[in-house]
Amino acid sequence: MSKITERVEEIVAPIVESLGFELVDVEYVKEGPDYYLRIAIDKPGGIDIADCALASEHISEVMDKEDPITEAYFMDVSSPGAERPLKKEKDYENAVGNNIYVKLYEPIAGDKEWIGILEQYNEEFITINAKIKTRTKTIEIDRKKIAKIRRAVVL
């Protein structure tokens, strides 16, 4: 399915950008008997329902012509939400100084899930300051060990 998402991203990115939006994520998944194409877009100040509808209309028109997906599917164009995933280097850059949630393939310091402030990142590692009870612990995480990473809303 990654070839499909790559192809859809190639098709959709110019459309989204021409509308003044940022393409955040493309996901193509099978859930039960149905396939879903989920496209997350954003812009400074956030995306609203009218923005999603506008982008959906333009994307649908081109997707019908290009037809990169052979199965029937449902398409959803939406905001990435407050807990948007960190997929691109720009996402990491924008998340520095903010709370993030990290789920790992294998434990570091006894835990597979961490919430903390992203202090820095590079191609190989991220560094977060995680609050554990009353103290703060600096954790360095190999990016190859990250299963999922997103912004975190901490109340």
Side-chain angles (χ1 to χ4, degrees), residues 16-152:
V16 170
E17 290 168 12
S18 74
L19 296 170
F21 306 138
E22 171 195 359
L23 179 62
V24 175
D25 194 20
V26 174
E27 179 184 58
Y28 183 64
V29 296
K30 184 176 183 184
E31 295 177 359
D34 299 318
Y35 288 89
Y36 293 88
L37 176 62
R38 296 189 177 110
I39 300 168
I41 61 174
D42 206 0
K43 71 175 182 184
I47 289 290
D48 62 27
I49 192 86
D51 296 329
C52 293
L54 176 67
S56 182
E57 286 176 34
H58 284 80
I59 292 167
S60 290
E61 187 176 306
V62 175
M63 288 291 290
D64 288 344
K65 288 178 188 170
E66 295 286 329
D67 203 19
I69 302 172
T70 56
E71 303 88 12
Y73 63 92
F74 297 97
M75 186 177 77
D76 177 34
V77 178
S78 64
S79 161
E83 294 188 335
R84 72 184 278 169
L86 306 184
K87 299 266 184 168
K88 302 172 185 163
E89 292 304 304
K90 182 179 175 185
D91 298 331
Y92 283 87
E93 182 181 323
N94 291 337
V96 171
N98 293 291
N99 282 299
I100 61 167
Y101 163 83
V102 183
K103 185 172 184 172
L104 305 171
Y105 291 115
E106 56 189 60
I108 293 179
D111 285 312
K112 286 179 79 172
E113 295 182 72
W114 292 92
I115 294 178
I117 295 174
L118 179 62
E119 292 298 323
Q120 58 186 354
Y121 72 96
N122 60 37
E123 290 179 9
E124 296 178 24
F125 294 94
I126 65 166
T127 304
I128 65 170
N129 282 334
K131 190 167 186 173
I132 304 168
K133 295 184 183 177
T134 59
R135 57 190 185 101
T136 302
K137 183 174 186 172
T138 300
I139 308 290
E140 185 175 83
I141 301 171
D142 185 332
R143 287 177 67 170
K144 292 177 189 162
K145 294 182 179 181
I146 298 173
K148 183 183 282 188
I149 184 168
R150 61 172 168 75
R151 285 187 175 238

